[in-house]
Amino acid sequence: MAPLQKNHTLSSDFIILGFGDLAELQIFFFGLFLIMHLVTLAGHTTIVLITCTNSSLQTPMYFFLCNLSAIEICYILVIVPNMLANFLSWSQRMPFLGCALQMHLFIALGGAECFLLAAMAYDRFVAICRPLRYPLTVTRALCLQMLALACVSGFALSLALTTLIFLLPFCQSHEINHFFCDIPAVLFLACSDTRANEIAIFLVCTLILLSPFFLILLSYGFIIVAVLRIHSAEGRSKAFSTCAGHLLVSLLHYGCATFIYIRPKSCYSPDQDKIVSLIYTNVTPVLYPVIYSLRNKEVKGALKRLLESHN
């Protein structure tokens, strides 16, 4: 019976319900999130171009910022175009393997972003707490190694997590009450005992979310102590300003993700999850370039020079 059940699952499509219950607002939401999507892509693409082409921004901090924006571009392209298409239809069919691929890429890129945010916290820790050792410690080679480790870890853990979920039988409803193939929404459709899978998923999510976040909090604990020892108000202000953007982005990213993924299946709430998912796939990505750029004189100066050079 099990092989037949598995074959039935593999040959079936999932149906993404999206926001079909808000038919009268579909066009409005499509226009709103299309504008946000284009602004997000423009913002992150601008950061990538500026940090890659400007000689004054060839430092570890901007190396990580450039790659963070590149990952964020891929991250939203995995989700948002399908979501926008979903606004224009009552339901959207997605092949079984297509759903698995979307989940894998989404988790992999989100995981890589989590690990990269931890690497950025380490960079700030060394820059502020060990400034004399900074050029010798945070080298180009170390930056490349941390970037590679973040990406490999994200994709490896994502592969394990996606495999755990899609090996489950989906022998009843194939209607996903979400706008993409997210973990809780797909897991909710499984028609077998998922307790062992839930424990494994919790452990993987802990590695992806809580471990890097703990390292970030630990780094900022040392940073705060070091900054408070600076005697001049100007020095303290400058030190805090270089960290404020990264800390705010980390809190937004980890806060939303932890709410969705670090909890049991019994707490699953489709409507609540869709709202939170809209925030971390659409709202927070559009804020990141603003948070990183508006308070950063070097980025604003590089952007001004780039615009002047094309006039």
Side-chain angles (χ1 to χ4, degrees), residues 12-31:
S12 300
D13 291 346
F14 285 107
I15 298 174
I16 310 295
L17 297 180
F19 298 90
D21 53 337
L22 299 173
E24 67 279 2
L25 296 174
Q26 297 275 38
I27 300 300
F28 169 76
F29 283 142
F30 173 80

Side-chain angles (χ1 to χ4, degrees), residues 19-212:
F19 298 90
D21 53 337
L22 299 173
E24 67 279 2
L25 296 174
Q26 297 275 38
I27 300 300
F28 169 76
F29 283 142
F30 173 80
L32 174 64
F33 288 109
L34 176 62
I35 292 171
M36 291 178 67
H37 181 55
L38 295 176
V39 171
T40 302
L41 288 177
H44 285 289
T45 302
T46 300
I47 287 179
V48 171
L49 290 174
I50 289 174
T51 52
C52 287
T53 60
N54 195 289
S55 58
S56 64
L57 300 181
Q58 301 304 306
T59 63
M61 183 174 75
Y62 293 110
F63 169 82
F64 288 126
L65 180 57
C66 173
N67 285 282
L68 185 69
S69 285
I71 290 174
E72 193 70 30
I73 290 170
C74 299
Y75 175 84
I76 59 176
L77 286 175
V78 169
I79 302 298
V80 179
N82 280 335
M83 184 198 78
L84 293 173
N86 190 267
F87 279 126
L88 302 179
S89 62
W90 284 100
S91 66
Q92 183 182 5
R93 288 189 171 274
M94 181 172 286
F96 179 87
L97 293 178
C99 188
L101 179 61
Q102 185 187 54
M103 181 183 290
H104 170 59
L105 292 175
F106 172 73
I107 299 169
L109 292 165
E113 189 171 336
C114 287
F115 294 123
L116 197 58
L117 285 169
M120 293 174 76
Y122 173 74
D123 170 69
R124 292 297 84 206
F125 161 74
V126 178
I128 293 173
C129 300
R130 305 284 189 273
L132 297 179
R133 300 179 187 174
Y134 182 71
L136 298 175
T137 303
V138 187
T139 61
R140 182 74 174 180
L142 180 63
C143 291
L144 290 171
Q145 289 169 5
M146 288 195 288
L147 174 62
L149 182 61
C151 293
V152 170
S153 300
F155 275 84
L157 290 171
S158 173
L159 183 60
L161 192 56
T162 307
T163 302
L164 280 172
I165 293 172
F166 281 89
L167 283 179
L168 292 168
F170 302 99
C171 49
Q172 297 175 11
S173 173
H174 280 227
E175 293 184 345
I176 298 176
N177 191 6
H178 211 299
F179 57 88
F180 70 100
C181 294
D182 201 8
I183 296 172
V186 175
L187 188 64
F188 186 75
L189 300 180
C191 55
S192 65
D193 186 358
T194 61
R195 282 176 293 183
N197 298 76
E198 286 182 61
I199 293 172
I201 290 167
F202 175 80
L203 292 175
V204 174
C205 288
T206 299
L207 284 173
I208 293 176
L209 293 172
L210 298 186
S211 299

Side-chain angles (χ1 to χ4, degrees), residues 114-115 117-118 121 206-220 247 250-255 258:
C114 287
F115 294 123
L117 285 169
T206 299
L207 284 173
I208 293 176
L209 293 172
L210 298 186
S211 299
F213 190 50
F214 173 75
L215 293 175
I216 290 172
L217 293 179
L218 186 64
S219 296
Y220 275 101
L247 183 58
S250 298
L251 291 173
L252 288 170
H253 183 79
Y254 287 102
T258 301

Side-chain angles (χ1 to χ4, degrees), residues 216-261:
I216 290 172
L217 293 179
L218 186 64
S219 296
Y220 275 101
F222 285 112
I223 287 171
I224 289 171
V225 171
V227 170
L228 292 177
R229 290 176 180 168
I230 299 175
H231 298 295
S232 69
E234 183 181 352
R236 286 196 298 270
S237 176
K238 184 177 180 181
F240 274 125
S241 67
T242 63
C243 299
H246 173 262
L247 183 58
L248 181 56
V249 167
S250 298
L251 291 173
L252 288 170
H253 183 79
Y254 287 102
C256 291
T258 301
F259 174 82
I260 292 289
Y261 302 116

